[in-house]
Amino acid sequence: MERPARSGRVVITGLGAVTPIGIGTDAFWNAALSGKSGGGPVTLMDATDYPTKVAAEVRDFQAENWLDKKEARRVDRFLALAAAAAQMAMDDACFPADPDVRLNTGVLIGSGIGGLTLLSEQSRKLHAEGPGRITPFLVPYMIPDMASGFVSIIHGLKGPNTCVVSACATGADAIGTAARTIQHGDAVAMVCGGTEAPINEIGMAGFCAARTMTTRNDDPEHASRPFDKDRDGFMMGEGAGVFVLEDLDFARARGARIYGEIVGYGMSGDAHHITAPDPNGDGAVRAMRKCLAETGAELEDVGYINAHGTSTPLNDKTETLAIKTVFGEHAYKVPVSSTKSMIGHTLGAAGAIEALTCVLALRDQVLPPTINYDQADPECDLDYVPNHARKTAFKLAISNSFGFGGHNVTLAIRTYDE
């Protein structure tokens, strides 16, 4: 296949989602609009001795529905989640089986942590039985880039095969970088997004030690409370969100259905602290401004912000301040909601699932709510679409993702207009 002329525009043609409130895009979206919580007691591990005993698990996920039985038993859960979401996205895009097309199609699916469950299991075996008992699949099924490698192998995708790891900004970073890859002419299409499966002994222990998670153990469905005055930390979640992105000319030529267009991607670093955001929101402000400058749109054109909205006291306050700094008086008019109120914080998958939320909101002209919003916080005084979905009319949405280490990413997605 000869390298086609580049349009410079990147469109979205396929979506796949595995989330705590639904497996599949339709199931996820219907649950999100109804304000369903994915919170519940932890079942993937024994959380008896943990300060946090609740999480948002993908409770009905069966890896063998997406992989052969032997592989389903071997792989870490983050790979199985990615494989399922990627299969959904490829099917949704009706992506061509043509080998020449797949030669020019790449994969970029990130993970913040990678195969932590497998690493934990094998560490226990090492100490109990010695190094000779370690599986040869430990390294290949643990490293974060393997979600891309795995999906590349399954679908015969031979274009750029890479990964980004930027903590809780990973999923958004993957989509933005994949769009850049297409714009640069290195691929005509990219399968991209984020995946994470951190609900295991060491993952939960680490975030408990960091004191970032909720301890509302007696009420898991109401434990994730972004922007609410009584928020006390995030609820750990798991899942995967995968996009098929294509060069506009390539998508048009094959008659693909187009959901929307990636029109902005802004990145910045806080250079402040390994876990806390800059208290002035400086990094978040610069990421949003870079993204918006790329769109060429006016501030008033933004009709929805999918917030990072973790439900931690400091992050929600800082993001609110950053939005007000960027948007001025318009900050009080643009609706802001946090999907994490329903699916928890899926870490490296979060940015991809939240960008997917923006795509569906644009398609249906309806905004998902921030659930569990009961008491206003004077320091969080924007329109958070409390508790109920809202019909609206808009053409441009942005999605914020911020991560440990001061990684800040904002994506802009617009309805497709020829």
Side-chain angles (χ1 to χ4, degrees), residues 3-284:
R3 176 174 286 191
R6 283 176 279 153
S7 69
R9 296 173 65 182
V10 177
V11 294
I12 302 156
T13 59
L15 301 172
V18 181
T19 80
I21 58 173
I23 298 173
T25 303
D26 290 342
F28 161 69
W29 188 231
N30 291 335
L33 293 183
S34 68
K36 178 181 178 180
S37 170
V42 171
T43 65
L44 292 171
M45 52 168 276
D46 181 359
T48 303
D49 296 330
Y50 288 66
T52 295
K53 307 177 195 303
V54 296
E57 300 176 350
V58 183
R59 298 186 186 278
D60 299 322
F61 182 75
Q62 302 294 328
E64 56 268 29
N65 290 343
W66 304 94
L67 302 168
D68 71 50
K69 288 185 179 179
K70 184 182 290 185
E71 206 154 46
R73 285 197 305 272
R74 286 176 176 168
V75 301
D76 189 276
R77 188 172 170 91
F78 92 106
L79 294 178
L81 297 173
Q87 183 68 60
M88 294 176 199
M90 295 284 283
D91 292 345
D92 189 41
C94 299
F95 202 76
D98 184 336
D100 284 345
V101 171
R102 299 203 175 202
L103 188 66
N104 286 282
T105 299
V107 189
L108 206 168
I109 300 174
S111 175
I113 298 176
L116 207 56
T117 301
L118 182 62
L119 179 61
S120 299
E121 291 170 355
Q122 293 296 307
S123 294
R124 286 195 295 273
K125 182 170 285 190
L126 172 66
H127 292 298
E129 303 176 37
R133 299 293 297 168
I134 296 300
T135 172
F137 297 104
L138 169 60
V139 173
Y141 285 160
M142 176 195 73
I143 49 181
D145 65 295
M146 193 50 64
S148 291
F150 200 45
V151 169
S152 167
I153 293 166
I154 291 171
H155 296 283
L157 305 176
K158 298 183 178 179
N161 176 14
T162 185
C163 172
V164 297
V165 178
S166 45
C168 302
T170 293
D173 232 353
I175 293 168
T177 304
R180 291 275 198 270
T181 302
I182 294 170
Q183 288 170 328
H184 192 259
D186 288 330
V188 295
M190 293 290 290
V191 178
C192 58
T195 181
E196 205 79 86
I199 304 171
N200 49 54
E201 289 87 347
I202 192 67
M204 291 287 287
F207 281 99
C208 282
R211 299 183 179 179
T212 54
M213 292 200 295
T214 178
T215 54
R216 197 184 289 259
N217 297 315
D218 59 343
D219 190 11
E221 292 188 356
H222 299 94
S224 183
R225 317 177 60 80
F227 305 108
D228 182 85
K229 187 177 180 181
D230 289 341
R231 65 191 184 276
D232 72 332
F234 71 78
M235 173 181 286
M236 187 80 89
E238 61 172 357
V242 174
F243 283 47
V244 175
L245 301 183
E246 301 184 36
D247 176 84
L248 174 59
D249 285 349
F250 176 69
R252 277 177 170 162
R254 73 177 191 88
R257 178 266 321 278
I258 296 175
Y259 280 107
E261 182 173 357
I262 305 290
V263 291
Y265 172 36
M267 298 174 285
S268 73
D270 275 353
H272 172 69
H273 190 272
I274 58 169
T275 57
D278 184 314
N280 296 316
D282 172 67

Side-chain angles (χ1 to χ4, degrees), residues 370-385:
T370 302
I371 68 167
N372 302 325
Y373 185 85
D374 297 329
Q375 292 195 60
D377 178 344
E379 294 185 302
C380 297
D381 56 350
L382 301 179
D383 173 8
Y384 301 110
V385 195

